[in-house]
Amino acid sequence: MSTRTLISPAQLARPRGKALYWVVLGLVVTLFTVVFLGPMYWMVSSGFKNTQEAVQTPPTLVPESFEPDNYSQAWNVMDLASLLGNTLFYAFGALAFQLVFDVAAAYSLSKLRPVLGKAILGLMLATLMIPATVLVVPQYLTVLDVPIFERNLLNTPWAIWLPSVTNAFNIFLLKRFFDSIPRELLDAASMDGASPMRTLWSIVLPISRPILGVVSIFAIVGVWKDFLWPMLTLPDPAKQTLNVGIYSLSNGVPMNVLIAALTMASLPTLLIFLVFQRNIMSGLTAGGLKG
């Protein structure tokens, strides 16, 4: 089967074609590097500037005044240690709930084949078409007074954990991966006397590590970057997340110190992506092939 490209192999073999190819490739790579890494460089470098230089227009490309103490000042003034601890607690709590309930839902829809399973999956996926802002009011009213239990969950971790449990996108990813697991493997385990729960724990989960890693990263980053919902449900400053806490404490803080705080707040999720980027790609494509 022939492969079509913008430049044919014959043209690429010529000196002019090869030079044109490398020039275009260099320009494209440079453009994308500037677009994606430019704002990040501006944020990091602005954290080293003094207040006047941080707000001046046009901005300086290289800090003329190098003040690394801005980061230590931001850490202390913004109380980032406490905010970081709160955010990690909420993020890993949401991750634990999602792994338990989303895996159970995806496994039942994929392998146990319940009655009306396709209709249930369709209704779950239909919720992805609803803008998140539309759901804020009903979710807030539910958290304010939980039906049946009649409990107010404001200023509690449950206000963050419970709305994140039923994630339709993660359930769909998990189901697609479980669909790719050969049915013969599960039938063999059943013939050996393994129950559905035992099969899930001993066979399905060990070979599902790539997609579980992807779901874990999505769960942590989802809580980490959320702003509106924690601001509504966690009004107590001692229980706020990183984003909400920085916003609440930003009044009266110099711009360079604020930018330094924002830089430190963005580093954990950035490091997670850089470390696990291969796992993310392999997990997203793992369910696309039947094996």
Side-chain angles (χ1 to χ4, degrees), residues 90 136 139-140 143-144 152-160 163 226-236 239-240:
Y90 298 139
V136 169
Q139 285 182 347
Y140 182 81
V143 169
L144 191 63
N152 186 338
L153 300 182
L154 296 182
N155 283 321
T156 66
W158 299 103
I160 304 297
D226 198 7
F227 175 76
L228 179 60
W229 183 248
M231 184 178 65
L232 294 175
T233 57
L234 300 172
D236 186 356
K239 299 179 179 180
Q240 289 176 344

Side-chain angles (χ1 to χ4, degrees), residues 23-280:
V23 168
V24 173
L25 179 62
L27 289 176
V28 171
V29 171
T30 302
L31 177 62
F32 276 88
T33 302
V34 171
V35 169
F36 288 103
L37 298 183
M40 192 179 307
Y41 170 78
W42 174 86
M43 184 171 61
V44 174
S45 62
S46 296
F48 292 108
K49 301 176 182 178
N50 59 33
T51 305
Q52 182 179 358
E53 187 180 1
V55 299
Q56 79 177 40
T57 303
T60 55
L61 185 61
V62 179
E64 297 176 356
S65 56
F66 188 74
E67 299 183 2
D69 292 340
N70 293 338
Y71 284 89
S72 59
Q73 185 179 352
W75 180 269
N76 297 323
V77 172
M78 295 287 190
D79 194 16
L80 293 186
S82 176
L83 296 176
L84 181 62
N86 292 342
T87 308
L88 290 174
F89 177 63
Y90 298 139
F92 283 97
L95 168 61
F97 279 104
Q98 285 196 31
L99 287 180
V100 172
F101 290 100
D102 290 1
V103 166
Y107 180 70
S108 62
L109 291 173
S110 175
K111 298 304 182 183
L112 303 184
R113 307 293 178 95
V115 179
L116 301 178
K118 292 184 178 180
I120 294 173
L121 179 61
L123 292 174
M124 286 184 180
L125 296 179
T127 61
L128 297 176
M129 303 296 106
I130 304 175
T133 52
V134 176
L135 301 175
V136 169
V137 173
Q139 285 182 347
Y140 182 81
L141 295 177
T142 302
V143 169
L144 191 63
D145 186 12
V146 179
I148 301 177
F149 298 98
E150 297 182 355
R151 295 289 302 273
N152 186 338
L153 300 182
L154 296 182
N155 283 321
T156 66
W158 299 103
I160 304 297
W161 293 341
L162 293 182
S164 65
V165 168
T166 53
N167 190 304
F169 182 69
N170 287 345
I171 293 176
F172 176 73
L173 287 180
L174 289 166
K175 180 185 179 299
R176 288 291 299 167
F177 187 90
F178 293 158
D179 288 342
S180 67
I181 298 176
R183 186 70 194 182
E184 293 78 8
L185 188 63
L186 305 185
D187 292 338
S190 179
M191 292 178 63
D192 289 340
S195 63
M197 182 61 69
R198 179 68 177 179
T199 302
L200 172 64
W201 182 261
S202 300
I203 297 177
V204 175
L205 291 183
I207 62 179
S208 301
R209 291 176 182 174
I211 194 64
L212 292 178
V214 172
V215 170
S216 301
I217 292 171
F218 284 172
I220 293 174
V221 173
V223 174
W224 199 281
K225 69 182 181 62
D226 198 7
F227 175 76
L228 179 60
W229 183 248
M231 184 178 65
L232 294 175
T233 57
L234 300 172
D236 186 356
K239 299 179 179 180
Q240 289 176 344
T241 61
L242 201 57
N243 293 335
V244 179
I246 291 176
Y247 172 78
S248 302
L249 299 173
S250 60
N251 292 332
V253 176
M255 181 60 67
N256 55 342
V257 176
L258 179 60
I259 294 176
L262 295 174
T263 302
M264 289 187 286
S266 63
L267 282 179
T269 52
L270 193 62
L271 292 175
I272 288 175
F273 174 77
L274 292 177
V275 172
F276 297 103
Q277 57 178 326
R278 291 186 178 180
N279 302 76
I280 295 175

